[in-house]
């Protein structure tokens, strides 16, 4: 089995050979580009946020579950882009142009770390509730209008505290078009049964994308990139071909995923990955997948003892994620998620975020741990607005910049560090050798969290960190192996360790895309980054294509290991927005 996690350092460089399918795919991809003339990405990206619209409307689709055939109380979370609406009294629900009775409550407001003209000035999401006759219309379309007063109230008494109890039912069986083991969380006998809305409400993908649930998103233009994403994520939820009947062994991707035994598949915030698919598609089935994954994951987070700890990996901060929980809160209004977001923030607050003393050879300091420390505090601040979480994020960013500009005693000087937080291999769990290192793929996780911080702070320090990491990776941490270029698994000041890894081309491409954008905003050159982005995109496409294989009884889109769906698609939701889909 291939190893993609940290293991003790080996004396010989580690190189993962490409599967023959991947090499053939690269040749095919190059030929296809030559024939199709695939355009280079635009240098300029759209604005981070859409221009405010003081009035307007958005259509929503309603889907009653199969067993729901009566009049139901419907409740759903609806996100709004920043600056669109500030008052719940100016949001109403319409049916064929006529207002119908509804209730609207605030779930969250748009926040900003420093700009008082933004912080708390508009609604980020609301909870809308109303009554619908599923017997008359199992599927229906309504319109949400903002900027016009609401005059008809349903007075249903629904709140974030009781929405799950009053409007959710037991998880439905898979659809006839889905594999019988799709979302098979019931195989975990120790888990609480997953519950879900009896009626699903779905706004269009265009609306979800411009609502910046995690960051700016654009439609994936390249058909093959979209097919790969949805294909691999279908494997991620066990919606595979009907002839796949056996569970995989040893995480080899050759069968169904057993969510009673699988735990590494929750790395990199699996719920957030599935919410990314929902935002990109606006499809009710991905809403169901994301919701179910969130509820299963949330049920395994400790609220007593070691709060925020994931039951399948107790005490391990790498498994503590709040981003997907926060998106779920915005989309469902389930207030129980807020306490779990707080618990995650409490656990990751124990993660060291300053560079350790140079003589230290024990403990952990990795970019992956930095990502959960930043992300956990940031999501808690987004959800609650509380100063304790805001201040924690600020301290982390201030510490990162201070360590880069004034490295601790014994580290190289700031010029040698080049804005990158190099650290001893021992605290990265990579054995002992005479160099300081960084991980390009773990840095992709960390810089995505910093990117989200920048979206709510406009902090130029975050831009500088993003740009510095991208510049170093482009110049020193991407190497050629035959016809392909791949990011190094581990890069040092003196050389390369553990070889290059094409499996991480896609996520490191995201690191470069954000860094290029940051350097352009800072007025710094980005040509070297752009050149490497083109190379990594080709490698990423070939790698993804190489894992698409038609074999009877096996998933067509292989995930070996399962967790790779998380590093492929957890931090790359915005590649199309950057022009690299």
């Amino acid at each position: 089995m291939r190893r993609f996690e940290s293991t003790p350092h080996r004396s010989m460089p580690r190189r993962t050979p490409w599967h023959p399918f991947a090499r053939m795919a690269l040749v095919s991809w190059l030929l296809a580009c030559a024939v199709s003339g695939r355009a280079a990405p635009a240098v300029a990206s759209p604005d981070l946020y859409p221009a405010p619209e003081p009035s307007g409307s958005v259509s929503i689709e309603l889907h009653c579950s199969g067993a729901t055939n009566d009049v139901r109380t419907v409740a759903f979370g609806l996100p709004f882009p920043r600056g669109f609406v500030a008052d719940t009294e100016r949001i109403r629900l319409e049916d064929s142009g006529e207002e119908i009775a509804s209730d609207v409550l605030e779930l969250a407001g748009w926040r900003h770390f420093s700009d008082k003209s933004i912080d708390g000035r508009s609604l980020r999401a609301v909870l809308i509730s109303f009554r619908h006759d599923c017997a008359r219309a199992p599927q229906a379309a309504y319109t949400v209008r903002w900027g016009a007063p609401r005059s008809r109230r349903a007075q249903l008494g629904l709140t974030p505290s009781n929405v799950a109890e009053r409007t959710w039912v037991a998880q439905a069986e898979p659809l006839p078009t889905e594999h019988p083991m799709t979302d098979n969380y019931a195989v975990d006998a120790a888990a609480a049964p997953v519950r879900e809305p009896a009626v699903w409400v779905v706004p269009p993908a265009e609306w979800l994308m411009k609502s910046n649930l995690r960051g700016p998103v654009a439609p994936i233009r390249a058909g093959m990139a979209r097919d790969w994403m949805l294909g691999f994520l279908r494997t991620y939820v066990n919606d595979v071909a009907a002839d796949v009947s056996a569970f995989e062994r040893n995480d080899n991707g050759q069968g169904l995923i057993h969510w009673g035994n699988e735990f590494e598949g929750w790395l990199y915030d699996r719920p957030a990955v599935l919410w990314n698919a929902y935002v990109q598609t606006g499809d009710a089935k991905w809403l169901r997948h994301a919701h179910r994954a969130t509820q299963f994951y949330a049920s395994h987070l400790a609220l007593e003892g070691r709060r925020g700890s994931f039951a399948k990996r107790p005490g391990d901060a790498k498994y503590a994620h709040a981003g997907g929980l926060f998106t779920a809160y915005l989309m469902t209004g389930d207030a129980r998620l807020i306490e779990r977001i707080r618990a995650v923030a409490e656990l990751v607050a124990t993660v060291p975020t300053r560079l350790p003393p140079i003589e230290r050879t024990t403990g952990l300091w990795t970019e992956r741990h930095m990502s959960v420390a930043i992300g956990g505090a940031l999501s808690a601040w987004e959800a609650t607005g509380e100063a304790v979480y805001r201040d924690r994020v600020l301290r982390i960013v201030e510490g990162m910049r201070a360590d880069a500009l004034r490295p601790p005693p014994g580290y190289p000087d700031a010029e040698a560090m080049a804005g990158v937080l190099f650290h001893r291999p021992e605290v990265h769990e990579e054995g002992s050798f005479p160099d300081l290192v960084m991980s390009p793929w773990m840095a992709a996780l960390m810089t995505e969290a910093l990117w989200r911080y920048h979206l709510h702070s406009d902090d130029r320090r975050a831009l500088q960190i993003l740009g510095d990491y991208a510049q170093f990776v482009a110049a020193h941490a991407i190497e050629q192996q035959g016809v392909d270029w791949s990011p190094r698994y581990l890069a040092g000041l003196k050389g390369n360790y553990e070889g290059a890894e094409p499996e991480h081309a896609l996520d490191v491409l995201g690191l470069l895309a954000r860094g290029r954008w940051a350097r352009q905003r800072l007025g710094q050159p980005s040509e070297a980054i752009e050149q490497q982005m083109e190379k990594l995109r080709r490698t990423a496409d070939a790698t993804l294509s190489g894992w698409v294989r038609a074999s009877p009884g096996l998933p067509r889109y292989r995930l070996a290991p399962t967790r790779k769906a998380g590093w492929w698609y957890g931090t790359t939701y915005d590649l199309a927005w950057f022009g690299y889909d």
Side-chain angles (χ1 to χ4, degrees), residues 9-21:
H9 172 68
R10 308 179 209 182
S11 58
M12 294 296 291
R14 173 188 158 280
R15 294 182 179 273
T16 304
W18 276 27
H19 191 281
F21 283 113

Side-chain angles (χ1 to χ4, degrees), residues 42-74:
V43 173
S45 298
D47 292 333
L48 290 171
Y49 294 94
E53 300 175 17
S55 63
S57 64
V58 57
S59 62
I60 58 172
E61 293 182 356
L62 179 149
H63 302 263
C64 301
S65 61
T68 305
N69 56 5
D70 54 3
V71 177
R72 288 280 177 162
T73 297
V74 180

Side-chain angles (χ1 to χ4, degrees), residues 440-441 443-445 447-448 451 466 469-470 473 478 487 504-518 529 532-533 536-537 540 567-568 570-576 578 580:
W441 73 268
L445 299 169
T447 53
E448 189 272 337
W451 167 250
L466 294 172
Y469 267 84
V473 169
I478 296 173
H504 282 295
L506 185 64
D507 43 321
V508 175
L509 176 58
L511 177 153
L512 295 183
R514 295 184 187 94
R516 182 196 66 165
W517 189 93
I529 299 174
Q532 298 290 41
M533 289 175 73
L536 285 193
R537 184 173 70 176
W567 81 61
W568 278 347
T571 63
T572 57
Y573 54 88
D574 49 7
L575 275 182
F578 287 114
Y580 276 85

Side-chain angles (χ1 to χ4, degrees), residues 366-387:
T366 72
E367 298 89 351
R368 177 165 55 177
H369 287 81
M370 290 292 289
S371 76
V372 297
I374 298 167
L378 180 62
S379 293
W381 171 78
E382 290 181 87
T384 69
E386 294 175 8

